Amino acid sequence: MNEIALDGIRVLDFANHHAELAGRVLAGLGAEVICVEPTGGSPSRQRAPLHPGDHSRSLWWETVAVGK
């Protein structure tokens, strides 16, 4: 079975909260994903659940932003 590899592909990620996980999937497949956020950052940076020791860190954001 062939593996999907997106090495050499660059993706601009303008996704809102409805589709931001797609960028992580593409990054996991080897694409270079560049996250483009609105001024002030993505609202998902404050989305729950928050880190128990640092409420300024969103565990959601840290999960979906991997590889971007």
Side-chain angles (χ1 to χ4, degrees), residues 13-37:
D13 182 355
F14 288 92
N16 63 15
H17 66 280
H18 294 290
E20 60 197 357
L21 189 58
R24 178 176 182 191
V25 171
L26 293 172
L29 292 172
E32 176 188 359
V33 179
I34 301 168
C35 184
V36 181
E37 298 182 47

Side-chain angles (χ1 to χ4, degrees), residues 1-67:
M1 184 157 105
N2 294 337
E3 290 187 30
I4 298 173
L6 299 179
D7 294 335
I9 303 294
R10 181 175 294 149
V11 176
L12 294 177
D13 182 355
F14 288 92
N16 63 15
H17 66 280
H18 294 290
E20 60 197 357
L21 189 58
R24 178 176 182 191
V25 171
L26 293 172
L29 292 172
E32 176 188 359
V33 179
I34 301 168
C35 184
V36 181
E37 298 182 47
T39 304
S42 172
S44 291
R45 289 181 178 271
Q46 287 81 42
R47 184 175 175 177
L50 301 176
H51 189 281
D54 181 358
H55 290 190
S56 68
R57 291 175 47 200
S58 166
L59 296 177
W60 170 264
W61 176 254
E62 290 183 12
T63 301
V64 299
V66 170

